[in-house]
Amino acid sequence: MKVQTYPPKNSQIHAYLLFFFICNVQIGVGIFSFQRYIFHVSKHDAWISVLIACLCAHAVLWLIIRMLNKYESADIFGIQYDLFGKYIGTLFNCIYIIFYLLVSILIMRSYVLVIQVWMFPDMSSWLIVSLLAILIIYAGFGGVRVIIGMCLLGFVVILVTVIFCLVTLRYSIWTQLLPIMESNMKDILRGAFRMSFTLAGFEFIMLIYPYVRNKERAMYHSQFSLLTGNLIYLIIMILSVAYFSSSQLERSIWPTFNMLKILKFPFSERLEFIVISIWMLMVLTGILINAWAISRGFKRMWNWNQKLVLLTVILIASTVTVMMEGRKNIDKLGEWVGLGSSVLSFLYPFLLSLIALIVLKVRARKAGDRGGGAS
């Protein structure tokens, strides 16, 4: 496998489109329920946990792009192959592929659960999954540019959702945020650790980077995109703590949906139905990006046909989603994926970046010594 990869020009994108790509891959269905898990640990200091996790994400992203800049045009699959060799590098690449598959299943199953609970309780899982699968396959065959186009539309959905949530400002009780730092530092850091799964997604820059034309602008647009996503999560967390009582927020499974229920329009008294429907675009994009990452991995390592791999991945994810029943199984999968995200999105990219920078520096020094000796 070649370390460097050079996609054709008709598949390349401008760096500013990374803003929409990272926002979409970072913000998914987790935005409707993350508050409960963070508040359960950090209480009304949950927003501090979110802030700490956001700062860590910016630091890791900075290291990742520094690493990518050292390579001319490489992705995570090529970098691991270069640093760890054929066998260990391939093993690490397979771990990422399995993780992306589990994330796809979790996103799909979570959205099916939301539809069945909030909109159509009697609708069969296989029907919802079939509709999602058809749309994902159709869009996936369009390539990277179609995925980026869906991300651009998805950003509009994100903005609309956040604007709707701001309506709770008039009902918020800001004293519920006080006193600050009442929770001990251990609980705040535990909350930040739990938040890492929700913030995961920015590491996909390691896959899309070779497709960027003006790579010198990748750092700016990626960090700005991550900042936007982090601010959205922070705002929603603060609004949730100020709007709900402690008992309400701990009991609520989907706090964001409950916030939207206070909005009523002449044409619709159940705004959450509209939000759930338009968020299908976000779900499709999230699953599609993960499925594309898997197909890209097979293409890079074994030169398999990406469309065939994409089709196979969606069929596997759809089958597992239909077979998975019960809230406990979904929560269990969420726990495992959350732990994997903390490692593969934060800890491992951090270590990989440091290893790459050290190894490349040593190689450059050795090459310089050999060049000096030869002269």
Side-chain angles (χ1 to χ4, degrees):
M1 184 179 77
K2 294 181 179 179
V3 176
Q4 308 290 346
T5 175
Y6 301 95
K9 284 193 174 182
N10 60 355
S11 296
Q12 295 178 7
I13 61 174
H14 289 284
Y16 74 89
L17 291 173
L18 289 174
F19 175 84
F20 304 102
F21 178 80
I22 294 177
C23 265
N24 274 258
V25 77
Q26 184 188 23
I27 300 176
V29 291
I31 199 173
F32 297 118
S33 60
F34 78 98
Q35 307 99 305
R36 174 194 180 196
Y37 302 104
I38 313 303
F39 187 84
H40 180 74
V41 177
S42 306
K43 303 305 177 183
H44 61 265
D45 287 324
W47 65 274
I48 302 178
S49 297
V50 175
L51 184 60
I52 293 173
C54 292
L55 293 176
C56 292
H58 279 286
V60 173
L61 180 61
W62 182 80
L63 280 172
I64 288 174
I65 297 180
R66 281 288 306 275
M67 173 186 68
L68 292 171
N69 287 338
K70 295 295 182 180
Y71 288 89
E72 183 180 352
S73 182
D75 56 14
I76 179 66
F77 301 114
I79 291 172
Q80 292 186 137
Y81 184 88
D82 179 54
L83 294 177
F84 305 119
K86 178 179 179 181
Y87 298 106
I88 297 179
T90 301
L91 175 63
F92 285 176
N93 289 339
C94 290
I95 291 174
Y96 263 97
I97 286 174
I98 294 172
F99 174 69
Y100 294 145
L101 178 61
L102 293 177
V103 172
S104 301
I105 294 170
L106 181 62
I107 295 173
M108 186 179 292
R109 190 62 187 89
S110 298
Y111 188 68
V112 170
L113 180 64
V114 169
I115 291 178
Q116 290 176 332
V117 171
W118 285 86
M119 298 181 68
F120 305 110
D122 298 324
M123 181 174 285
S124 300
S125 298
W126 68 266
L127 180 58
I128 304 173
V129 170
S130 299
L131 294 174
L132 290 173
I134 292 171
L135 293 173
I136 293 168
I137 293 171
Y138 178 75
F141 282 3
V144 173
R145 285 180 172 269
V146 173
I147 297 175
I148 297 297
M150 292 178 65
C151 290
L152 198 150
L153 294 176
F155 183 72
V156 177
V157 176
I158 295 172
L159 283 183
V160 171
T161 304
V162 174
I163 292 172
F164 285 158
C165 290
L166 292 177
V167 178
T168 58
L169 283 170
R170 60 185 296 188
Y171 304 105
S172 299
I173 304 173
W174 298 105
T175 54
Q176 293 185 164
L177 295 170
L178 303 174
I180 297 176
M181 294 295 293
E182 184 179 28
S183 300
N184 58 57
M185 200 61 195
K186 180 180 178 181
D187 289 337
I188 292 175
L189 292 177
R190 285 175 58 205
F193 178 78
R194 288 197 175 190
M195 187 65 197
S196 61
F197 170 51
T198 305
L199 294 180
F202 59 87
E203 76 281 359
F204 272 85
I205 184 69
M206 294 188 289
L207 286 165
I208 200 70
Y209 186 80
Y211 289 85
V212 179
R213 291 180 182 175
N214 46 336
K215 292 179 172 58
E216 68 279 0
R217 301 286 293 171
M219 177 71 82
Y220 172 78
H221 292 291
S222 299
Q223 290 284 3
F224 185 53
S225 176
L226 182 60
L227 176 63
T228 303
N230 290 342
L231 286 176
I232 289 173
Y233 278 119
L234 183 60
I235 290 170
I236 292 179
M237 187 74 251
I238 292 174
L239 288 174
S240 300
V241 174
Y243 177 72
F244 295 103
S245 66
S246 297
S247 59
Q248 286 176 329
L249 193 51
E250 287 186 340
R251 291 197 311 265
S252 179
I253 299 177
W254 292 289
T256 305
F257 284 144
N258 292 330
M259 293 166 68
L260 296 174
K261 288 174 70 174
I262 67 173
L263 270 174
K264 298 184 187 299
F265 292 100
F267 58 86
S268 176
E269 291 191 359
R270 299 298 300 271
L271 183 65
E272 65 271 21
F273 285 4
I274 299 176
V275 173
I276 292 171
S277 300
I278 62 177
W279 265 78
M280 178 181 283
L281 177 63
M282 299 297 301
V283 172
L284 293 175
T285 305
I287 300 172
L288 180 56
I289 290 173
N290 281 277
W292 172 81
I294 297 172
S295 66
R296 182 66 181 168
F298 275 90
K299 173 71 173 179
R300 294 278 283 122
M301 290 188 291
W302 299 295
N303 200 30
W304 288 20
N305 184 281
Q306 277 193 252
K307 292 184 178 180
L308 181 60
V309 175
L310 180 70
L311 181 62
T312 305
V313 169
I314 297 304
L315 290 176
I316 293 174
S318 301
T319 303
V320 176
T321 299
V322 173
M323 294 174 62
M324 186 180 297
E325 297 291 343
R327 176 80 191 187
K328 289 184 178 180
N329 292 329
I330 301 173
D331 290 341
K332 193 66 176 178
L333 176 61
E335 291 177 7
W336 283 104
V337 172
L339 180 60
S341 295
S342 301
V343 175
L344 298 178
S345 300
F346 280 82
L347 179 59
Y348 178 71
F350 172 78
L351 296 175
L352 181 66
S353 300
L354 293 180
I355 293 171
L357 293 175
I358 293 171
V359 169
L360 293 177
K361 190 172 183 178
V362 170
R363 287 178 182 175
R365 182 175 297 177
K366 288 183 177 180
D369 293 341
R370 285 197 297 268
S375 63

